[in-house]
């Protein structure tokens, strides 16, 4: 046995969970061949086009995490409407359409009215082809909802109006692009391929959809030659340090290289792949096999990006078959009727646990799934014999395997929160092992092995990653280490990670799964099955070698792998390898020798020790008691104003504990890092330029304030929506004399405070055509407190001065701290202009007003004169002259504001009103 290879993990091993479709219409056909290109073909006869789309649904089965160790016998379904050959109603609906027409007119104001009303072309739902429903199904496997946008799409502002016709057309175009690429994933799909099929008025949507899909890695990803050749020979963008060469790190590295970044990957091990590890086992007589000691099963191959990579490489996939017999202690096969009885009862208990958490509400967050199941089982009315109890314990072990965690530590409320996002299709083994995918991903990626990172420094200026006595500097860093490493604190972050992230790291669970891989001189087990199980009479050892995988069909030799889950997996860490192998052989002999089948001694064995591996310290994540799916999102948040990012299976809420989840998280962070880098490059370009670029910077800030995250009276606030830390920095803008913002927040005629005169003077000075914008930096909590101040704008201004003691400044007076906040917000929002319709999408702390008739925000250009006006410097005792130019008027209005003596464009309102004076030239 090779001691260096005693570390392994299986975080995506979910054998078969069937994905099926229940189709209510006889004339609707859906053919899926898992061995083909997975293109879905459908046909619906015209007379079946729905005119009442809300009543027709295609139910999808949702595979349950409970059944990862064995085939699913019962499933739960969810529904989504036919797309788009049916009908939409309201803002999200699809109107009935004819496949022979290029587009379907819909009047916004008078649907179904007289034909004399000629609709605008923008009010039409386009029809690209007759396969829109099939393309919607295919997009669903990639994680896109059938009738609404994803969070990432909303954040990217892919449409200007949420829920309208534009959104419907965007979704149709997006789905069509995905389907086109899936036809041949080895090709690079270009935007020009769709010009002729997309109506001219939707070409902007085509640009948006295509750019989103490419930048976020939904199409044109992988290792096909046509895709690899898109990586530029020389980088043109800043340097990035990637910590960890697992699937997340490799996916991000390749994507960033294609974006033009200079990438360096630091890996502590001597190999790439992380918790995906294929070891070549061999013995005499040329017997050898490839053993997946880590992640082994590709789950949901219809949408799984690793399955797409396998197609690009021409690698064959073997479907994990449903047959999984169980054997009792003496090796006797478990009676099928008893097996079905106990399994049915077990699933019933899970359903009761689900109902219990619904009735308990928030209290269920602090209750374990194991406690609920044990209580229900003890209260089970039927008589229970010892074999039935052993069967029940086997199902508990199977559940602990699915979650890599003890049931006593799994959250009753959220243990299965990712179930609705399971990808459709078969669950498969990759012939030759998943290490072949790792090898393809690592090709030509600059990886430095045996570089154990112990410190990561980050600031607004860049990052330093320290491994041993070497310091690697970069513009950004991506940390992809497993959750177990983050929990251990073996990497020191300077400054310390935000408490919000530290709490999330602590709350999430990180479990353990171990394996024993055995290469035999010959196959002695049945070859018509891929899995079989073994029962234990000791509840504490129920997960010990409870499930066996037959790898002989894909490994290239007679290979069996035994799994160790739950409490037994932890005890296994200290079990001598010889004792472990001896125990496994005893089990196999107990099963097969009564059948007259000799069990030979293995040629080579490998026992994994994932909890002892310093580069993993466990197997894969789970939702522990007290945690929730939100913690995955928290772990995914970047820190340091877009300098330090995080990826890995524990950072994806939808696909945790899976290989494809890790891969997709790498693509996700590559897109985020590119957005932040582009925003910083834009800011740098603006900062280096003279007054013309200063005007551009003012325009950028004005554009961001077109969609404030908070808006009350004459006060507006913008902040990064992905950072919910109440101490995070936000930008407050006060607009004087905004004709669209009237103060209706209560009587104020009798209010007296020190800044009332200033406010009235500033407001009365400007005409209806001109505005003055002044700014300051606050914490998010302070902004929320300011919003709650009653008495209107005057009282809020007083609160700013007397309570918070802030200074209102011109744009340049905000300084570099605001620049990083602006860059962060710009990176989140992307390049698309904001729309007021997004305001209603974000709830909680973000309460915003909308108005479809609001005039464009007027931009004020602040320039210097001979007396140093509106410059950014510390407060001094020199008066300010401000020239404000209205961008919509040819006239220039010069105003001298004597608020508080200053030379930096700072309007200090912290003094009494009798010190203020305003006069006009």
């Amino acid at each position: 046995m090779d001691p260096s290879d005693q570390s392994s993990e299986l975080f995506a091993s979910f054998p078969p969970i069937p994905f099926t479709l229940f189709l209510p219409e006889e004339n609707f056909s859906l053919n899926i061949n898992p061995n083909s290109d997975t293109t879905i073909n459908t046909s619906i006869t015209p007379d079946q086009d729905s005119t009442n789309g809300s009543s027709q649904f295609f139910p999808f089965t949702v595979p349950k995490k409970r059944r990862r160790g064995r085939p699913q016998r019962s499933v739960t379904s969810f529904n989504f409407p036919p797309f788009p050959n049916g009908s939409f109603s309201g803002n999200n609906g699809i109107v009935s359409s004819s496949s022979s027409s290029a587009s379907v007119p819909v009047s916004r104001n008078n649907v179904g009215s007289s034909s004399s009303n000629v609709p605008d072309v923008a009010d039409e739902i386009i029809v690209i082809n007759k396969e829109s429903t099939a393309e919607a199904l295919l997009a669903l496997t990639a994680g896109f909802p059938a009738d609404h946008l994803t969070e990432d799409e909303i954040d990217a502002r892919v449409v200007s109006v949420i829920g309208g016709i534009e959104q419907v057309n965007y979704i149709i175009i997006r789905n069509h692009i995905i389907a086109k690429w899936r036809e041949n994933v080895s090709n690079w799909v270009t935007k020009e391929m769709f010009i002729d099929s997309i109506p001219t008025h939707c070409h902007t949507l085509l640009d948006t959809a295509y750019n989103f899909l490419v930048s976020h890695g939904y199409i044109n990803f992988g290792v096909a030659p046509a895709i690899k050749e898109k990586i530029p020979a020389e980088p043109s963008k800043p340097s990035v340090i990637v910590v960890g060469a697992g699937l997340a790190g490799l996916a991000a590295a390749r994507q960033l290289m294609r974006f033009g970044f200079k990438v360096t990957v630091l890996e502590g091990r001597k190999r790439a792949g992380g918790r995906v590890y294929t070891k070549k086992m061999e013995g005499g007589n040329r017997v050898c096999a490839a053993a997946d000691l880590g992640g082994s099963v590709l789950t949901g191959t219809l949408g799984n990006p690793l399955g797409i990579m396998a197609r690009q490489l021409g690698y064959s996939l073997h479907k994990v078959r449903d047959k999984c017999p169980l054997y009792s202690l003496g090796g006797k096969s478990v009676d099928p009727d008893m097996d079905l009885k106990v399994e049915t009862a077990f699933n019933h208990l899970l359903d009761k646990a689900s109902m219990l958490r619904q009735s308990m509400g928030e209290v269920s967050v602090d209750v374990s799934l194991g406690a609920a199941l044990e209580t229900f089982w003890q209260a089970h009315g039927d008589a229970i014999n010892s074999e039935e109890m052993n069967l029940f314990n086997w199902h508990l072990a199977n559940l602990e395997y699915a979650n890599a965690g003890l049931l006593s530590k799994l959250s009753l409320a959220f243990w299965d929160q990712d179930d609705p996002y399971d990808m459709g299709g078969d669950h498969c083994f990759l012939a030759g092992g998943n290490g072949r995918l790792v090898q393809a991903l690592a090709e030509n990626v600059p990886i430095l092995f045996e570089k154990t990172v112990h410190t990561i420094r980050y600031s607004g200026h860049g990052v330093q990653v320290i491994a041993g006595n070497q310091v690697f500097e970069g513009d950004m860093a991506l940390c992809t280490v497993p959750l177990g490493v983050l929990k251990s604190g073996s990497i020191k972050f300077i400054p310390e990670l935000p408490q919000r992230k530290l709490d999330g790291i602590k709350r999430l669970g990180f479990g353990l799964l171990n394996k024993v891989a055995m290469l035999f001189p010959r196959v002695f087990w049945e070859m018509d099955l891929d899995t079989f199980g073994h029962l234990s009479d000791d509840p504490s050892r129920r997960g010990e070698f409870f499930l066996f995988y037959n790898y002989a069909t894909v490994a290239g030799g007679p290979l069996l792998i035994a799994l160790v889950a739950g409490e037994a997996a932890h005890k296994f860490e200290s079990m001598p390898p010889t004792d472990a192998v001896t125990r496994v052989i005893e089990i196999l002999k107990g099963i097969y020798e009564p059948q007259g089948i000799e069990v030979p001694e293995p040629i080579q064995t490998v026992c994994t020790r994932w909890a002892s591996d310093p580069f993993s310290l466990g197997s894969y994540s789970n939702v522990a008691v007290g945690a929730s799916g939100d913690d995955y999102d928290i772990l995914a948040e970047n820190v340091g104003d877009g300098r330090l990012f995080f990826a890995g299976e524990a950072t994806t809420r939808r696909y945790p504990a899976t290989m494809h989840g890790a891969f997709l998280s790498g693509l996700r962070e590559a897109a985020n890092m590119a957005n932040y880098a582009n925003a910083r490059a834009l800011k740098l370009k603006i900062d280096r330029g003279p007054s013309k670029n200063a005007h551009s910077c003012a325009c950028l800030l004005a554009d961001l304030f077109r969609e404030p995250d908070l808006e009350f009276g004459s006060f507006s606030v913008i902040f990064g929506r992905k950072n919910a830390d109440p101490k995070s920095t936000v930008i407050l803008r006060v607009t004087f004399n905004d004709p669209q913002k009237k103060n209706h927040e209560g009587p104020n005629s009798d209010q007296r405070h020190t800044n009332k005169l200033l406010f009235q003077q500033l407001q009365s000075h400007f005409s209806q055509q001109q505005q003055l914008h002044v700014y300051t930096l606050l914490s998010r909590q302070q902004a929320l407190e300011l919003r709650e101040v009653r008495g209107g704008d005057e009282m809020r201004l007083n609160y700013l001065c007397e309570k918070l003691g802030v200074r209102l400044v011109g744009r340049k007076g905000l300084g570099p701290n605001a620049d990083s906040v602006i860059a962060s917000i710009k990176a989140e929002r992307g390049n698309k202009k904001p729309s007021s319709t997004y305001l209603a999408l974000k709830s909680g702390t973000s309460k915003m007003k909308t108005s479809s008739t609001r005039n464009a925000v007027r931009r004020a250009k602040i320039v210097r004169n001979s007396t140093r006006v509106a410059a950014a410097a510390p407060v001094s005792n020199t008066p300010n002259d401000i020239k404000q130019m209205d961008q919509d008027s040819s006239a220039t209005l010069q105003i001298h504001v004597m608020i508080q003596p200053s030379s930096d464009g700072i309007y200090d309102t912290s003094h009494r009103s009798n010190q203020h004076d305003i006069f006009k030239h």
Side-chain angles (χ1 to χ4, degrees):
M1 299 178 62
D2 185 358
S4 66
D5 292 331
Q6 298 307 305
S7 319
S8 175
E9 178 273 342
L10 184 146
F11 63 83
S13 208
F14 326 55
I17 307 173
F19 178 90
T20 58
L21 284 169
F22 298 93
L23 305 174
E25 301 293 344
E26 294 182 359
N27 293 335
F28 180 96
S29 64
L30 174 63
N31 300 314
I32 301 178
N33 183 353
N35 297 320
S36 69
D37 290 338
T38 67
T39 300
I40 306 176
N41 298 317
T42 65
S43 61
I44 302 179
T45 56
D47 60 340
Q48 284 187 299
D49 286 353
S50 172
T51 58
N52 187 16
S54 60
S55 63
Q56 292 193 9
F57 293 88
F58 298 114
F60 260 70
T61 61
V62 181
K64 291 295 183 182
K65 185 184 288 186
R66 69 182 78 165
R67 305 301 301 155
R68 284 181 179 171
R70 291 184 74 191
Q72 174 84 8
R73 290 181 179 171
S74 62
V75 293
T76 303
S77 64
F78 68 92
N79 301 318
F80 72 95
F83 201 104
N85 295 347
S87 65
F88 265 59
S89 59
N91 287 335
N92 291 321
I94 298 178
V95 297
S96 60
S97 62
S98 170
S99 60
S100 62
S101 62
S103 60
V104 184
V106 184
S107 174
R108 290 181 179 176
N109 300 322
N110 298 301
V111 177
S113 62
S114 172
S115 60
S116 62
N117 293 329
V118 180
D120 188 343
V121 68
D123 292 336
E124 300 174 350
I125 295 180
I126 63 173
V127 177
I128 301 175
N129 55 33
K130 298 180 181 180
E131 306 298 332
S132 295
T133 302
E135 292 176 353
L137 296 176
L138 197 58
L140 185 67
T141 68
F144 289 100
D147 59 352
H148 59 277
L149 303 177
T150 65
E151 287 286 337
D152 287 339
E153 288 176 305
I154 292 174
D155 290 340
R157 273 68 177 179
V158 295
V159 295
S160 60
V161 178
I162 295 295
I165 300 299
E166 182 188 29
Q167 174 180 310
V168 175
N169 287 338
Y170 167 85
I171 291 175
I172 293 173
I173 294 171
R174 177 201 69 194
N175 296 349
H176 183 60
I177 296 173
I178 294 173
K180 182 69 174 179
W181 186 64
R182 291 287 188 88
E183 290 177 2
N184 187 348
V185 294
S186 294
N187 283 347
W188 179 273
V189 170
T190 65
K191 195 184 308 180
E192 288 69 28
M193 294 179 179
F194 306 95
I195 294 295
D196 295 336
S197 59
I198 304 297
T200 304
H201 71 278
C202 288
H203 282 183
T204 300
L205 290 179
L206 171 61
D207 292 341
T208 303
Y210 179 84
N211 293 337
F212 175 85
L213 294 173
V214 172
S215 64
H216 286 73
Y218 288 103
I219 63 172
N220 293 344
F221 68 84
V223 292
I227 295 170
K228 291 192 292 183
E229 68 182 17
K230 297 295 182 179
I231 298 178
E234 295 294 334
S236 59
K237 295 185 178 181
S239 60
V240 174
I241 310 298
V242 177
V243 181
L247 286 179
L250 293 176
R254 294 195 73 88
Q255 191 80 330
L256 288 168
M257 289 170 64
R258 189 175 66 75
F259 291 161
F261 288 89
K262 180 181 179 181
V263 177
T264 301
V265 181
L266 304 180
E267 170 56 51
R269 295 183 173 93
K270 298 180 180 180
R271 60 172 180 83
R275 290 170 286 168
V276 177
Y277 178 36
T278 302
K279 177 177 175 57
K280 183 178 181 181
M281 302 179 65
E282 53 190 347
N285 299 323
R286 298 181 178 179
V287 177
C288 61
D292 272 326
L293 301 179
S296 60
V297 179
L298 300 184
T299 60
T301 51
L302 279 182
N304 195 316
L306 300 181
I308 291 175
M309 276 186 56
R311 287 166 53 195
Q312 292 175 337
L313 295 166
Y315 296 162
S316 61
L317 297 176
H318 172 77
K319 176 185 175 182
V320 180
R321 290 165 287 189
D322 293 347
K323 184 178 179 181
C324 181
L326 299 181
Y327 296 94
S328 61
L329 290 174
K332 181 181 177 181
S333 179
V334 172
D335 179 66
D337 292 336
M338 181 186 296
D339 184 9
L340 180 61
K341 172 187 174 182
V342 174
E343 181 180 1
T344 301
F346 178 78
N347 288 335
H348 179 62
L349 294 185
L350 284 177
D351 293 335
K352 291 181 68 175
S354 179
M355 291 185 289
L356 174 64
R357 67 183 175 190
Q358 293 178 13
S359 62
M360 293 177 65
E362 295 182 359
V363 180
S364 63
V365 175
D366 298 320
V367 178
S368 74
L369 174 65
L373 292 179
E374 293 287 354
T375 301
F376 286 138
W377 179 254
Q378 292 173 4
H380 199 273
D382 298 338
I384 303 172
N385 57 41
S386 59
E387 189 167 9
E388 288 176 338
M389 191 65 207
N390 294 340
L391 262 174
F392 177 74
N393 280 321
W394 187 93
H395 286 286
L396 294 179
N398 187 38
L399 196 58
E400 289 177 324
Y401 153 56
N403 294 274
L406 302 178
L407 295 182
S408 60
K409 295 184 177 181
L410 288 181
S411 168
L412 170 63
F414 301 112
W415 69 275
D416 58 349
Q417 60 87 33
D418 59 308
D419 269 359
Y421 309 111
D422 281 356
M423 292 181 172
D426 297 323
H427 296 238
C428 300
F429 294 136
L430 177 69
N434 295 319
R436 302 172 75 189
L437 298 179
V438 172
Q439 183 179 5
L441 283 171
E443 181 184 358
N444 296 326
V445 174
I447 306 174
L448 301 180
F449 294 104
E450 297 184 271
K451 301 296 181 185
T452 303
V453 172
H454 58 79
T455 304
I456 298 177
R457 287 192 174 96
Y458 62 95
S459 69
H461 303 290
V463 296
Q464 287 184 336
V465 180
I466 305 174
N469 59 358
Q470 291 182 282
V471 179
F472 300 88
E473 295 186 342
D475 190 66
M476 296 177 288
L478 174 63
C479 182
T480 70
V481 300
L483 176 59
V485 176
L486 292 177
K487 282 178 172 290
S488 73
S490 60
I491 297 180
K492 183 178 182 180
F493 294 92
I494 304 175
E496 182 61 274
L497 296 176
Q499 191 61 45
R500 168 184 171 86
K501 186 178 287 285
L502 293 175
D503 292 343
I505 292 172
K506 183 178 180 180
R507 282 191 298 264
L508 276 179
F510 197 64
L512 183 62
L513 180 78
N514 276 312
K515 294 181 178 181
V516 178
M518 298 162 289
L519 178 65
F520 291 93
R522 65 179 185 277
V523 173
F524 58 86
W525 55 90
E526 302 93 327
M527 287 298 292
D528 62 342
L529 53 81
D530 295 306
T531 58
F532 60 91
H534 176 261
L535 309 185
S536 172
D537 59 352
D538 183 352
S540 66
R541 299 174 62 183
R542 63 193 179 201
E544 184 180 87
F545 318 124
F546 81 103
L547 190 67
F548 289 80
Y549 276 154
N550 166 24
Y551 268 81
T553 55
V554 294
L559 181 70
L560 272 181
I561 293 182
L563 305 186
V564 190
E567 184 180 349
H570 293 272
K571 294 179 179 179
F572 183 80
E573 292 278 327
S574 59
M575 180 184 295
T578 53
D579 292 353
V581 173
T582 299
R583 173 63 181 146
V584 175
I585 296 301
E586 288 177 355
I587 292 174
L588 291 174
K589 287 182 177 181
I591 294 173
Y592 289 102
E593 287 188 348
Q595 304 177 35
I597 300 174
E598 179 185 359
V599 177
E601 290 297 313
I603 299 174
Q604 184 184 10
T605 61
V606 176
C607 298
T608 67
R609 299 283 188 269
W610 281 112
S612 304
D613 182 349
F615 300 113
S616 62
L617 299 176
S619 297
Y620 43 97
S621 64
N622 55 60
V623 184
V625 174
S628 71
D630 292 341
D631 291 312
Y632 288 112
D633 293 335
I634 293 173
L635 260 67
E637 293 173 352
N638 66 78
V639 299
D641 293 322
R643 296 293 182 176
L644 178 58
F645 298 78
F646 293 84
E649 57 86 13
T651 70
T652 170
R653 183 182 193 136
R654 289 191 170 196
Y655 312 113
T658 65
M659 289 187 290
H660 62 269
F663 183 88
L664 289 172
S665 74
L667 297 181
R668 177 199 70 211
E669 291 312 303
N672 288 337
M673 297 170 83
N675 284 338
Y676 274 96
N678 292 337
R680 278 192 290 267
L682 175 62
K683 176 188 174 299
L684 183 61
K685 181 178 179 182
I686 292 172
D687 289 346
R688 286 177 175 175
S691 59
K692 180 179 179 181
N693 279 338
H695 169 63
S696 299
C697 188
C699 293
L700 173 60
L701 190 60
D703 282 342
L704 293 178
F705 269 103
R706 288 180 188 273
E707 185 201 330
D709 296 284
L710 294 176
E711 190 173 21
F712 40 93
S714 296
F715 295 75
S716 304
V717 180
I718 58 173
F719 50 75
R721 291 173 177 168
K722 294 184 179 180
N723 185 359
D725 185 358
K727 296 182 180 180
S728 60
T729 303
V730 306
I731 300 177
L732 170 74
R733 185 182 75 178
V734 183
T735 302
F736 290 100
N737 208 11
D738 185 346
Q740 298 299 327
K741 297 177 181 177
K742 301 297 183 182
N743 188 3
H744 301 295
E745 300 188 49
N748 54 28
S749 58
D750 296 329
Q751 293 172 354
R752 291 293 181 188
H753 55 80
T754 58
N755 289 283
K756 181 177 180 180
L757 178 60
L758 167 65
F759 184 83
Q760 291 176 338
Q761 286 176 322
L762 287 173
Q763 284 283 29
S764 63
H765 179 75
F766 295 98
S767 68
Q768 291 291 316
Q769 285 74 35
Q770 294 178 322
Q771 300 171 336
L772 171 66
H773 297 309
V774 288
Y775 306 86
T776 191
L777 298 180
L778 300 174
S779 71
R780 189 166 182 165
Q781 183 62 39
Q782 288 173 328
L784 294 175
E785 292 173 355
L786 179 64
R787 183 186 65 175
E788 300 305 317
V789 172
R790 294 294 176 257
D793 291 341
E794 296 174 14
M795 290 301 296
R796 293 192 182 103
L797 191 63
N798 181 63
Y799 183 86
L800 277 176
C801 306
E802 304 298 333
K803 177 72 174 179
L804 302 182
V806 303
R807 291 180 290 183
L808 297 175
V809 303
R811 185 198 60 76
K812 286 188 176 181
L814 285 171
N817 289 337
D819 293 341
S820 62
V821 177
I822 294 171
S824 175
I825 298 172
K826 178 63 177 175
E828 281 189 16
R829 298 189 179 184
N831 296 322
K832 192 172 181 65
K833 289 185 178 181
S835 169
S836 60
T837 53
Y838 282 91
L839 307 182
L841 295 178
K842 302 295 183 179
S843 58
T845 61
S846 298
K847 180 180 180 182
M848 297 158 280
K849 299 178 181 179
T850 63
S851 174
S852 60
T853 61
R854 179 174 299 167
N855 293 332
V857 175
R858 299 182 182 276
R859 302 177 177 88
K861 180 179 181 183
I862 302 176
V863 299
R864 295 176 183 267
N865 64 8
S866 59
T867 57
R868 291 179 57 82
V869 178
V875 176
S876 68
N877 294 320
T878 303
N880 295 317
D881 290 339
I882 299 177
K883 294 181 180 180
Q884 180 172 11
M885 178 180 294
D886 191 311
Q887 300 303 311
D888 297 322
S889 172
S890 60
T892 300
L893 178 65
Q894 295 189 13
I895 302 167
H896 292 262
V897 181
M898 297 175 58
I899 300 177
Q900 163 67 15
S902 171
S903 63
D904 63 352
I906 296 179
Y907 311 100
D908 192 338
T909 61
S910 60
H911 293 263
R912 297 294 177 179
S913 59
N914 59 12
Q915 295 176 331
H916 299 211
D917 188 20
I918 298 179
F919 55 92
K920 177 179 179 181
H921 282 282

